[in-house]
Amino acid sequence: MGASTDPNQDGGSDEQQRRSEIYTYEAPWHIYAMNWSVRRDKNYRLAIASLLEQYSNRVEIVQLDDSNGEIRSDPNLSFDHPYPPTKAIFIPDKECQKPDLLATSSDFLRIWRIADDRVEIKTLLNNNRNSEFCGPLTSFDWNEAEPKRIGTSSIDTTCTIWDIDRETVDTQLIAHDKEVYDIAWGGVGVFASVSADGSVRVFDLRDKEHSTIIYESSEPDTPLVRLGWNKQDPRYMATIIMDSAKVVVLDIRFPTLPVVELQRHQASVNAIAWAPHSSCHICTAGDDSQALIWDLSSMGQPIEGGLDPILAYTAGAEIEQLQWSSSQPDWVAIAFSTKLQILRV
């Protein structure tokens, strides 16, 4: 990722060469869902999924071959998926203690087991047993502190917490007044969600009757579409407003008032990712084809003219997806059109 501050730096230095590491994979279809593998024994491995306007979609597992710099898809690990997945997450298991699993959300939450030569469905989790219709899942999050828990968000206004070991619903909450668009864990029993009702709400599973509204859109009924919770400093979270070029950063100790607004994108922001290894860095990406990295260490103080990003990268099209690798924190992945790119930051 090139520094946005000085484009005339000497390009010959080792540092500059190292920083220009970008690897690209072209999929046979438009990519939407995408994520990094977490296991230490599977470096540079990602899942990507198609966005096709039809029932039958595809998921591929791809991996960078370090020896020749090519990202390759393993045909044995490519599989059909009903509807386009809205999200994909590998099991948060750095130490490889558990089976190699991948979860996806669309009409239902599905958990897939990855073997060396195939991917098989392990579990289909359906909470609406008494109905053939289901509120499609907009997103989900896998609890890193307690990996048996996955929380899903749905257009039916609910969030559902699954115990995937027992394959049962732990809790289902009516979380919002309208569609819930994203969910994020902030600890073992605490999660937050954002909704078309324009609010960020925090829930504690020890007190399921109540939630805390952390923020509400300044314009009524302006949907909030994405939520990122800072894993290194859980006081902070970030959210995206639908069709807006700004990212709102919140401090949960001071509800309702953003601690900073990031306003350097030129078009709608689509994705946010906090650094997995630093409490004050966040990456944002959007329809201006830009991925920007911000240093928020000064976010308490007012900055003349607003905060500027410390790094900027311009992709070949609108960036729809962004993920920062938790097991290889020097790497960020973006997806735009049919391309997956991994960038060393």
Side-chain angles (χ1 to χ4, degrees):
M1 258 194 191
S4 59
T5 43
D6 181 9
N8 304 316
Q9 272 179 329
D10 171 26
S13 69
D14 289 348
E15 177 71 2
Q16 201 65 19
Q17 292 298 315
R18 187 183 75 78
R19 282 202 171 281
S20 64
E21 272 190 85
I22 299 168
Y23 300 100
T24 304
Y25 174 76
E26 180 131 17
W29 22 253
H30 192 103
I31 301 170
Y32 183 64
M34 171 272 282
N35 221 326
W36 291 93
S37 175
V38 179
R39 295 169 63 100
R40 290 192 193 283
D41 65 348
K42 301 283 187 195
N43 279 349
Y44 303 109
R45 181 179 72 157
L46 300 100
I48 56 172
S50 64
L51 178 57
L52 300 170
E53 290 187 14
Q54 59 192 49
Y55 178 76
S56 181
N57 275 259
R58 294 288 289 174
V59 177
E60 286 185 358
I61 310 274
V62 302
Q63 193 161 9
L64 173 69
D65 182 338
D66 231 358
S67 63
N68 62 8
E70 273 183 40
I71 300 175
R72 290 210 189 97
S73 167
D74 183 338
N76 292 326
L77 305 183
S78 172
F79 57 97
D80 281 324
H81 192 286
Y83 302 106
T86 50
K87 196 165 185 184
I89 305 180
F90 285 91
I91 185 169
D93 175 33
K94 266 188 194 158
E95 305 306 330
C96 316
Q97 304 290 309
K98 298 183 168 68
D100 192 7
L101 303 178
L102 173 71
T104 58
S105 54
S106 57
D107 50 346
F108 303 113
L109 178 66
R110 289 176 175 81
I111 302 191
W112 309 83
R113 186 189 294 271
I114 305 166
D116 287 341
D117 57 349
R118 66 192 180 284
V119 177
E120 295 173 329
I121 183 81
K122 177 182 178 289
T123 322
L124 184 149
L125 298 166
N126 170 15
N127 197 19
N128 295 21
R129 299 248 180 254
N130 52 0
S131 163
E132 60 188 284
F133 302 107
C134 51
L137 301 177
T138 50
S139 186
F140 72 98
D141 197 20
W142 204 322
N143 193 320
E144 290 178 20
E146 195 173 24
K148 69 172 187 173
R149 276 188 175 159
I150 288 180
T152 62
S153 57
S154 170
I155 65 166
D156 68 9
T157 76
T158 65
C159 290
T160 304
I161 309 304
W162 288 92
D163 179 329
I164 61 165
D165 290 351
R166 303 206 331 263
E167 301 183 6
T168 56
V169 172
D170 192 32
T171 307
Q172 185 172 39
L173 301 164
I174 294 174
H176 289 266
D177 304 329
K178 293 187 173 174
E179 299 95 325
V180 189
Y181 285 137
D182 204 4
I183 181 171
W185 290 102
V188 171
V190 180
F191 70 90
S193 57
V194 292
S195 161
D197 66 16
S199 67
V200 178
R201 300 189 188 190
V202 174
F203 297 83
D204 189 325
L205 292 175
R206 291 168 301 190
D207 179 11
K208 296 169 187 170
E209 300 306 307
H210 300 99
S211 64
T212 308
I213 295 180
I214 298 295
Y215 174 76
E216 291 187 281
S217 315
S218 44
E219 276 95 72
D221 287 333
T222 310
L224 301 177
V225 289
R226 287 285 166 263
L227 179 69
W229 202 324
N230 187 331
K231 293 279 195 286
Q232 294 297 317
D233 187 344
R235 294 174 299 181
Y236 297 106
M237 51 177 76
T239 186
I240 302 172
I241 299 156
M242 185 179 274
D243 299 329
S244 166
K246 75 177 179 186
V247 174
V248 177
V249 180
L250 307 167
D251 181 335
I252 62 173
R253 297 167 300 174
F254 308 107
T256 72
L257 219 60
V259 62
V260 67
E261 293 186 339
L262 309 178
Q263 311 207 53
R264 292 295 182 263
H265 279 283
Q266 306 301 310
S268 301
V269 179
N270 296 323
I272 44 180
W274 288 94
H277 60 313
S278 155
S279 62
C280 59
H281 290 88
I282 190 170
C283 188
T284 61
D287 280 350
D288 57 0
S289 308
Q290 292 230 90
L292 306 177
I293 290 186
W294 311 75
D295 178 353
L296 303 183
S297 50
S298 61
M299 69 181 147
Q301 301 111 41
I303 293 165
E304 193 71 34
L307 200 62
D308 285 319
I310 55 167
L311 289 171
Y313 174 76
T314 304
E318 294 96 337
I319 302 173
E320 292 182 62
Q321 197 64 256
L322 154 75
Q323 300 288 346
W324 200 322
S325 172
S326 61
S327 50
Q328 296 173 274
D330 290 350
W331 293 89
V332 166
I334 57 172
F336 55 94
S337 183
T338 58
K339 290 189 172 70
L340 164 73
Q341 276 190 339
I342 64 171
L343 320 166
R344 190 199 276 272
V345 294

